[in-house]
Amino acid sequence: MSTVLSKFETWKHFLKDRVAQGKKIGLTDETIANLAFEIGSFLDEKVDPQNNEERVLKQLWDVGDEAERKTMAGLMVKLVEKS
């Protein structure tokens, strides 16, 4: 995982691939957003930020409440889908 997280663009590409796989097997957008929230929670608790972009995301995650964190997770999914 640390290799994927070392560069933000690599992380976005990895996440984009996972989102595409989820859609291919029939996961709904809501399910994908919920999974992104769970991944964000895991990363927040277990992984130190590897670059400036991840540090900013962690700071935003840390000050947000659950609803705001879910919004962030959904926005990350949208971000990678549009890239």
Side-chain angles (χ1 to χ4, degrees):
M1 179 72 83
S2 66
T3 303
V4 170
L5 294 173
S6 64
K7 293 183 181 169
F8 192 64
E9 289 302 316
T10 304
W11 166 245
K12 285 180 14 183
H13 182 71
F14 175 82
L15 185 57
K16 181 178 183 173
D17 287 348
R18 301 297 84 75
V19 169
Q21 287 175 347
K23 287 186 180 253
K24 187 174 182 178
I25 63 169
L27 296 180
T28 65
D29 289 342
E30 181 179 351
T31 299
I32 290 170
N34 287 336
L35 289 169
F37 173 76
E38 294 299 323
I39 292 167
S41 296
F42 171 82
L43 292 173
D44 178 53
E45 294 174 15
K46 306 287 184 190
V47 179
D48 290 326
Q50 300 292 310
N51 53 57
N52 290 332
E53 295 90 345
E54 290 172 9
R55 282 185 198 85
V56 169
L57 289 173
K58 178 166 179 25
Q59 289 173 345
L60 290 170
W61 191 270
D62 288 345
V63 298
D65 61 25
E66 184 175 340
E68 292 165 328
R69 290 173 180 180
K70 287 183 177 184
T71 298
M72 283 183 62
L75 289 170
M76 280 299 298
V77 170
K78 281 185 172 184
L79 175 68
V80 300
E81 287 181 317
K82 304 279 185 212
S83 61

